[in-house]
Amino acid sequence: MRTLPFAVIVVAALCVTSSASAQEPHAAVQAFGGIGVGSFTTTNTNFGGAVTADLTPNIQVVGEAGRIGNMLPSMTQTLIGLGPVNFNVSAWYGQGGVRFTGGSAALRPYAEASAGIARLQPHVSGIGSGLPTAIANAGLAFLNQTAPIASLGGGVMIQGGPFVADIGYRYKRVFSDTWMQTLALGDSLSTNEVRVGFGVRF
């Protein structure tokens, strides 16, 4: 009989712990937008969405998909900018990776690495009225290429209740051996992206 109160306390503690654990967020979805910097005078708009899931309190798996406005390097963008015709190579991509976090529950710095596949799409503008540009881009659509993409980055997650904000940086690089890589003039098809995201945890 003396052990009954002790057993009740243990069971109650386990129930409370289990309940708290069940309420702890284990995943999050997020939408983000960013500015990709390709040269000192050229920027482009990037956007997408991401899903994260906890493996441990400080390690998460990350899945991400989105669009990069222009992958051409600084030198190429600068040279193209000297002429009347504008040419760029955008990319739709999907990738997955791992994120390492630290800090408190409200403010958590992180670093991550991921890899996946990108669909490169060349575009041209500034060659006259709408029809010539439309015809040129229709022809360029046959030159779309698929290539591997990798990303490194970091940032800070700000968490409050079910909501989360993300301020971060990503370096993304496409590994292509096609004619698009030639446009890089010895550099790489890449972008430096500063982004802001908002999402919910569950």
Side-chain angles (χ1 to χ4, degrees), residues 77-162:
Q77 292 192 41
T78 300
L79 292 175
I80 291 175
L82 298 176
V85 177
N86 181 41
F87 184 84
N88 66 73
V89 177
S90 64
W92 290 95
Y93 70 92
Q95 60 186 37
V98 63
R99 174 182 291 180
F100 301 92
T101 64
S104 66
L107 191 65
R108 304 185 68 185
Y110 68 86
E112 71 173 49
S114 57
I117 296 295
R119 182 67 171 172
L120 299 171
Q121 301 175 318
H123 303 274
V124 65
S125 61
I127 57 176
S129 64
L131 184 57
T133 299
I135 294 174
N137 283 318
L140 287 173
F142 291 99
L143 301 177
N144 291 352
Q145 302 286 336
T146 300
I149 186 172
S151 174
L152 291 173
V156 177
M157 291 185 294
I158 304 169
Q159 301 177 356

Side-chain angles (χ1 to χ4, degrees), residues 26-126:
H26 294 290
V29 293
Q30 182 183 97
F32 64 84
I35 299 296
V37 180
S39 70
F40 294 110
T41 59
T42 304
T43 60
N44 55 83
T45 303
N46 304 337
F47 61 86
V51 178
T52 62
D54 293 343
L55 292 179
T56 73
N58 297 107
I59 302 177
Q60 299 174 318
V61 290
V62 182
E64 180 179 314
R67 183 181 186 274
I68 302 170
N70 195 357
M71 298 294 296
L72 293 179
S74 301
M75 182 179 297
T76 304
Q77 292 192 41
T78 300
L79 292 175
I80 291 175
L82 298 176
V85 177
N86 181 41
F87 184 84
N88 66 73
V89 177
S90 64
W92 290 95
Y93 70 92
Q95 60 186 37
V98 63
R99 174 182 291 180
F100 301 92
T101 64
S104 66
L107 191 65
R108 304 185 68 185
Y110 68 86
E112 71 173 49
S114 57
I117 296 295
R119 182 67 171 172
L120 299 171
Q121 301 175 318
H123 303 274
V124 65
S125 61

